[in-house]
Every structure is written in C-alpha cells, then in structure tokens.
C-alpha cells in the first residue's frame, strides 16, 4: 500500500470517499468490515414497536367488526361506539404482552397526565394505524400533534412555552425537513439567490452542499467551532452573525460530527445577537438533542427566530421509519417577514398559494411548508402517512412515560462506553466534556500523536503524513472504515467515527488498529531521526 497514489481521492465528496473506503475495507474476504462511518445506530427502541404491531392487530379486528357481514379480508372504518371498552378488554386479555401493557398505560397517560380526550386519542390511533384516510389535518393529526409537542418541548429544554404557542409539521425524517425548509424559504423570498447565509461548522455535509446548489447559489459564511474550546463556537465567530447581510444561520446542535451541544455561554451570546438582529432566521437541526444531558435548543432561547428540526431516526433507532418534525412558534419572524415583503413579491405569492384559500396572505409559513412539499397543487393530499404518525406518537409517549428515563440512560451509556473503549485502546485520555454527547467522535491526528509520543513526533506527523492516506491504510489493512473530518468542514486532520453503529469490541479493534499505525509511524520517525 505504501506506494499507492492517494491523491486521486482528494477530490472525492465525503460520500464518494466513504464508498472507496468501504470497497477497500471489503476487498479482503477473510475478515468483516467495520464501518464506523455510518450514523445509523445499531440499537433501537423495541417496546413502542411492539405496541405499534399490537395496536395494528387490534385495529384490524376493529375494522372487521364494523361490517355486519364479513367476507374474508374486507373491513370498514373502525366504529367509535364502544371502542374504549373493546380496547380495555383487549388489554386485559393480552396483559402478558409487553407491547399491549404499554398501550394500555399509554391511553391512561394521555388521559391522566396529558389531559387529552382518551376516546378521541384511541380513535385517532386506530384509524391512523389502519391508514384508511388521508392525513387530516395535513400538517399533522390533531392529538398526535399535541402529544409530540409535549415531547419536543420537554426534550428540547423549552420552559414556559404553552403547547398552544407552537406548530408542528410531521415529515419524512430530518432529511425531508431540510429539503422542505430550504425550498419554502426560497419560494417565499425569505432567502434569495446570492444571499449570505451562515453555517456552523463542522457540520453534516448536506448543509454545506445544498446552499451551493444551482437552485440556491447562496454565499456561505462559515461559523467555525473551535477544537481547543471543546468544539464550542467562540464568541468572535458567533458575532459574525451581527452582519445584517446574513439572512439565516443554519446549525446542527448537538453538532455532527464533533457531537457537542452548544454551551450555555454560546446560547447567551446568541440570545444577545438576536436582540440586535431580530430579523435573523435560525434553522437548528436538533436530531441529537435527546442524547445530551440537560439539552437546551436555540428554539428555547429565541423561538420567534427559530425553525427547529427534530428526527426520531437516531434516538429510537428508526432511520427506516422516516420520522421527523419541523417546529415553529406561532409568533415568528418568518410570518412577519412574509407580511413585510414588497408588493410585487406578495402578489407573486398570492398567485402561488391562491388555490388554497381566498386569503393566501394569511397562510402561515409552516402551512406554506406543507403546501410546498406537494407543489401547492397537491396540498390536499400532503402530510406524513398516518401509520408513521402513530409510530411517532408511540415513540414520544414511550420516552415521556419512562419516568426513570431508563431508555435514555441506556442509549447514552452505550455510546459513552464505546467512546471510552476506543480511546482506552488507542492509549490516550478519554475526552471529558459536560457538553459532549458522544454520538460521534473526532480523533484528532495531531493531539493523538502528541499524547502518544510527544511534541516532536506530532510535528513530524503533521508535516509528513497525509490524513486521508491514513484512513485508506486503516481501511485496507484492518477493514475499519472511518471518515475524514475534513469532509465535514473540520480544519484539523482528523478521523470521524460514529459511536452508534458498531459493538463495543469493534471499537476496541478500531482503537487497536489506530494505535498500531501510530507505533509504526513512530518507528519510521525514529529511523529518520537516527539517520540525521
Ligand atoms: C442523521 C441526520 C439527519 C437525518 O435524519 P433523518 O431523520 O434520518 O432523515 C439530519 N440531520 C443530522 C444532523 C443528522 O445527523
């Protein structure tokens, strides 16, 4: 491998690079590939899934009951009359099944703790899981929205905001959320060709790529997190947002890949900036918020400015389900900015949304997102499939009903133990930071070299070793796939490993293999130093 030309890899996008690394890691048949590049977790919440399937069986029976004659396989709409009693009976009959027990408790919880109408809830769930109606309202089913709001407010650290003050749009995961938001910001002239937008880096790469697309051609102002500050954004970087030409700030919090939540100091600076820049749009992708200790979203700090994206993919191990939400506050600057557009822009938008209502100017931004998600014309069949909304509700309830937070503690300790194992095997200090979420880790080449063999060795590594080459060597020789931090906008040579998708012994193997390379490099270094 020593004389392989790695320069050809330099131009690849992070995702192409990943494919090349995987190909190399798989090229030897006598071993398993360890792909630590993937964000997909290898753990998942089972009880809310059991509940989903049990509810499905109950609901299918309900549907068949609703027709007096019952040809095989033909059912009707579930009947609300007596539904609650039949459900209670079902729960009693199946009380040995964990999914059913959970369902029974969920209905009580919704009634007693959340103060919602349990009959209406049950009917929404039964009809929803059967998927026998278009999603109405298209933005989100009513009781489902109320429950998921409660989950979002709690998990995103929002205090003192009543549920009535926010709106949710249920979407097909964080991915759809991002695509919809970029599109509607543009369609509604809130960002325009050539506008400046700020992006917190390092970041999940699509946030760097989408704004550069032909559709947007935005000018990117990067807000760099500082590795020497535990990957927090220094105040001087955040203050760049005071530039009135910057229309919006996009960030992932907790970040991907450094995997730290924004510190209280950072949040305070942002709150101050928003006072000076009440027009600044903030898009915060808080997919990892549920893994943090005492998380506080920017949505909690400046709700009027902030569009919040949350996904159920990572925390519940549900990437295949495609579940996410977009949240906005009822009082928000997006609607105010739309109201303040020029006459010509407003006329254009009246035309765009004219088919939906006689007063298109009154349509809120979040409802424009819904309409735009189906090219406006197909608005009446927009919305997330109802069975998906049911699973989303069951995930949310599962988390809220777990008063000891056992699931949360379990997933947090899983990723944190893997982190500790990797660094222990590598032979360096385990990074300690109260803001750290440890869903990913960035293994810093320079710091690691320094800790293992001292300053001079670290300087030599930085001068002579190509970090991409190191990743290809690791992939080739050990079958371990790590991604280069550079692909995510990390400035220091580093490797990103997801701590979510392999087993503990495999993180030990990654630590071992990196340690071996460090040792070999050190021997090489000693040879060269001796020759001098
Ligand atoms: C994984 C991830 C997403 C994608 O979430 P989905 O809900 O699976 O589409 C979005 N944002 C960030 C930062 C992610 O890491």
């Amino acid at each position: 491998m020593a004389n392989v030309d790695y320069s050809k890899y330099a131009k690849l996008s992070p995702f192409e690079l990943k494919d090349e690394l995987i190909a190399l890691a798989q090229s030897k048949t006598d071993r398993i590939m360890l792909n630590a590049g993937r964000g997909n977790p290898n753990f998942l919440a089972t009880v809310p899934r059991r509940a989903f399937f049990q509810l499905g069986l109950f609901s299918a029976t309900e549907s068949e009951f609703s027709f007096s004659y019952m040809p095989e396989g033909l059912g009707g709409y579930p009947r609300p009359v007596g539904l609650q009693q039949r459900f209670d009976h079902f729960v009693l009959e199946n009380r040995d099944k964990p999914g059913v027990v959970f369902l029974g408790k969920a209905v009580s919880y919704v009634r007693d703790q959340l103060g919602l109408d349990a009959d209406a809830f049950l009917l929404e769930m039964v009809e929803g899981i059967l998927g026998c109606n278009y999603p109405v309202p298209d933005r989100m089913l009513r009781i489902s929205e109320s429950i998921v709001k409660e989950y979002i407010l709690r998990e995103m650290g929002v205090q003192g905001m009543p549920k009535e003050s926010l709106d949710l749009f249920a979407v097909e995961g964080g991915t759809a959320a991002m695509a919809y938001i970029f599109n509607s910001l543009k369609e509604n002239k809130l960002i325009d060709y050539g506008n400046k937008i700020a992006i917190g880096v390092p970041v999940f790469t699509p946030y760097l790529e989408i704004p550069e697309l032909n559709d947007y051609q935005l000018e990117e102002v990067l807000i760099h997190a500082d590795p020497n500050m535990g990957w927090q954004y220094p105040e001087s970087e955040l203050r760049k947002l005071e530039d009135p030409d910057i229309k919006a700030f996009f960030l992932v919090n907790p970040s991907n890949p450094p995997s730290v939540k924004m510190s209280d100091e950072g949040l305070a600076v942002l709150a101050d900036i928003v006072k000076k820049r009440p027009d600044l749009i903030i898009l915060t992708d808080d997919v990892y918020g549920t893994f943090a200790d005492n998380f506080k979203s920017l949505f909690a700090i400046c709700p009027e400015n902030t569009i919040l994206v949350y996904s159920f993919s990572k925390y519940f191990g549900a990437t295949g389900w495609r579940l996410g939400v977009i949240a906005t506050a009822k009082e928000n600057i997006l609607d105010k900015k739309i109201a303040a557009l020029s006459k010509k822009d407003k006329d254009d938008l009246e035309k765009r949304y004219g088919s939906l209502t006689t007063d298109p100017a009154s349509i809120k931004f979040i409802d424009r997102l819904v309409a735009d998600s189906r090219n406006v014309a197909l608005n009446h069949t927009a919305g997330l499939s109802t069975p998906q909304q049911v699973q989303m509700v069951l995930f949310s309830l599962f988390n809220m009903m777990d008063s000891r937070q056992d699931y949360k503690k379990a997933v947090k300790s899983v990723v944190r133990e893997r982190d500790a194992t990797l660094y222990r095997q590598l032979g360096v200090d385990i990074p300690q930071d109260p803001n750290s979420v440890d869903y990913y880790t960035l293994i810093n080449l320079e710091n690691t070299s320094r800790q293992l063999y001292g300053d001079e060795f670290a300087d030599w590594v930085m001068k002579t070793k190509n970090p991409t080459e190191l990743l290809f060597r690791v992939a080739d020789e050990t079958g371990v796939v790590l991604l280069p931090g550079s692909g995510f906008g990390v400035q220091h040579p580093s490797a990103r490993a997801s701590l979510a998708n392999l087993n503990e012994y495999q993180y030990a193997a990654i630590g071992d293999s990196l340690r071996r390379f460090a040792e070999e490099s050190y021997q090489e270094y000693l040879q060269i130093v001796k020759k001098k």
Side-chain angles (χ1 to χ4, degrees):
M1 272 320 275
N3 34 22
V4 172
D5 175 16
Y6 293 102
S7 58
K8 66 172 173 175
Y9 297 122
K11 289 191 194 68
L12 299 179
S13 79
F15 289 94
E16 287 170 325
L17 203 79
K18 177 198 69 185
D19 290 342
E20 293 286 340
L21 284 163
I22 290 172
L24 206 56
Q26 279 175 330
S27 63
K28 296 182 184 139
T29 50
D30 58 339
R31 64 169 187 222
I32 37 164
M33 176 188 62
L34 302 182
N35 185 356
R38 300 187 65 197
N40 202 108
N42 70 346
F43 48 77
L44 57 137
T46 58
V47 170
R49 282 176 165 90
R50 284 181 180 278
F52 180 87
F53 296 124
Q54 292 291 348
L55 180 68
L57 294 173
F58 169 75
S59 303
T61 307
E62 279 297 303
S63 165
E64 287 164 356
F65 274 154
S66 84
F67 273 5
S68 48
Y69 63 99
M70 224 200 331
E72 181 80 23
L74 184 65
Y77 284 161
R79 273 188 314 195
V81 178
L83 178 63
Q84 191 68 243
Q85 286 93 315
R86 292 191 297 278
F87 176 77
D88 289 344
H89 181 72
F90 168 77
V91 172
L92 196 65
E93 290 283 289
N94 293 281
R95 60 187 177 277
D96 56 328
K97 302 193 173 109
V100 176
V101 173
F102 172 80
L103 277 177
K105 288 186 182 159
V107 174
S108 316
Y109 184 86
V110 164
R111 180 181 44 228
D112 302 339
Q113 305 293 317
L114 302 182
L116 298 168
D117 179 339
D119 291 322
F121 167 66
L122 195 55
L123 187 62
E124 187 169 300
M125 293 295 103
V126 168
E127 286 180 343
I129 206 164
L130 290 169
C132 53
N133 273 307
Y134 283 106
V136 179
D138 48 10
R139 186 156 57 68
M140 196 164 183
L141 300 179
R142 274 201 188 83
I143 298 176
S144 301
E145 184 188 5
S146 181
I147 293 168
V148 177
K149 272 183 188 175
E150 190 80 39
Y151 170 71
I152 292 290
L153 288 174
R154 288 187 197 182
E155 289 295 320
M156 298 295 110
V158 186
Q159 280 159 342
M161 184 194 268
K163 271 194 286 189
E164 296 69 43
S165 327
L166 79 153
D167 291 313
L168 297 185
F169 174 19
V171 293
E172 303 83 351
T175 302
M178 283 164 65
Y180 294 162
I181 292 167
F182 274 103
N183 180 47
S184 288
L185 285 173
K186 176 168 158 270
E187 290 296 349
N188 287 281
K189 330 229 180 220
L190 298 176
I191 53 172
D192 213 341
Y193 291 111
N195 276 173
K196 271 193 200 170
I197 55 153
I199 303 172
V201 288
V203 73
F204 183 53
T205 35
Y207 281 102
L208 292 170
E209 291 160 353
I210 296 174
E212 290 172 3
L213 296 178
N214 239 344
D215 290 1
Y216 301 101
Q217 298 171 20
L218 300 171
E219 188 184 327
E220 294 175 352
V221 176
L222 300 183
I223 308 292
H224 292 280
D226 183 350
N228 298 318
M229 289 172 58
W231 292 107
Q232 294 298 325
Y233 302 106
E235 178 161 0
S236 56
E237 284 292 306
L238 290 173
R239 292 284 170 196
K240 287 181 185 169
L241 299 171
E242 288 179 7
D243 173 358
D245 287 343
I246 293 176
K247 300 287 176 211
F249 177 37
F250 298 157
L251 82 162
V252 175
N253 182 32
S255 50
N256 171 2
S259 211
V260 296
K261 64 170 188 177
M262 198 189 252
S263 66
D264 292 342
E265 294 76 24
L267 293 174
V269 172
L270 239 120
D272 185 60
I273 289 170
V274 165
K275 272 194 212 125
K276 294 178 189 154
R277 287 277 334 263
D279 61 316
L280 181 68
I281 298 169
I282 298 172
L283 167 57
T284 190
D285 175 340
D286 296 355
V287 168
Y288 298 102
T290 26
F291 291 92
D293 295 328
N294 305 314
F295 180 63
K296 213 178 224 347
S297 167
L298 279 174
F299 187 74
I301 305 289
C302 24
E304 294 193 11
N305 297 68
T306 305
I307 307 170
L308 173 123
V309 171
Y310 179 72
S311 159
F312 293 74
S313 284
K314 307 290 167 43
Y315 185 63
F316 296 98
T319 46
W321 261 109
R322 316 309 301 129
L323 302 177
V325 286
I326 300 172
T328 56
K330 281 230 161 71
E331 283 292 319
N332 66 70
I333 62 158
L334 303 153
D335 293 330
K336 288 183 186 140
K337 282 183 162 213
I338 291 170
L341 288 171
S342 70
K343 167 101 178 51
K344 157 140 196 347
D345 284 349
K346 277 202 256 190
D347 288 347
D348 287 351
L349 290 175
E350 294 256 334
K351 264 192 225 120
R352 179 174 177 82
Y353 299 107
S355 63
L356 303 182
T357 148
T358 48
D359 181 18
S362 70
I363 303 174
K364 295 174 69 69
F365 179 74
I366 197 150
D367 292 313
R368 294 174 189 233
L369 279 170
V370 180
D372 292 336
S373 76
R374 297 293 180 268
N375 296 332
V376 185
L378 295 162
N379 181 65
H380 58 297
T381 48
L384 186 67
S385 87
T386 58
Q388 281 172 290
Q389 298 196 45
V390 170
Q391 183 69 87
M392 186 188 285
V393 165
L394 294 173
F395 282 146
S396 301
L397 285 171
F398 173 62
N399 192 73
M400 290 194 282
M401 288 159 59
D402 182 5
S403 55
R404 290 192 318 233
Q405 295 285 284
D406 287 337
Y407 180 80
K408 184 177 281 261
K409 283 180 200 149
V411 293
K412 280 183 182 176
S413 77
V414 163
V415 291
R416 284 172 192 178
E417 276 163 27
R418 291 169 181 178
D419 187 56
T421 302
L422 192 162
Y423 284 100
R424 203 181 307 114
Q425 289 304 114
L426 179 54
V428 301
D429 298 340
I430 299 160
Q432 300 289 345
D433 178 352
N435 293 316
S436 185
V437 170
D438 298 320
Y439 193 91
Y440 301 100
T441 187
L442 280 167
I443 305 158
N444 180 308
L445 186 64
E446 185 175 0
N447 292 354
T448 306
S449 308
R450 190 181 313 279
Q451 275 203 42
L452 288 174
Y453 299 108
D455 291 347
E456 282 174 26
F457 172 67
D459 292 344
W460 176 81
V461 166
M462 294 303 284
K463 275 197 221 102
T464 57
K465 294 281 166 194
N466 175 339
T468 313
E469 172 176 343
L470 188 76
L471 298 180
F472 277 93
R473 276 194 56 183
V474 171
D476 191 36
E477 295 184 19
T478 67
V480 171
V481 177
L482 303 169
L483 292 185
S486 58
F488 301 86
V490 180
Q491 290 172 311
H492 296 255
S494 59
R496 165 201 187 258
S498 159
L499 296 165
N501 87 319
L502 297 173
N503 291 314
E504 189 138 338
Y505 76 93
Q506 297 171 308
Y507 288 100
I510 292 172
D512 277 341
S513 95
L514 291 175
R515 164 125 210 162
R516 265 201 314 281
F517 279 120
E519 270 167 20
E520 280 173 28
S521 304
Y522 186 59
Q523 293 308 323
E524 187 186 337
Y525 160 78
L526 288 179
Q527 293 290 324
I528 290 167
V529 171
K530 263 190 224 140
K531 269 192 211 137
K532 277 191 187 157

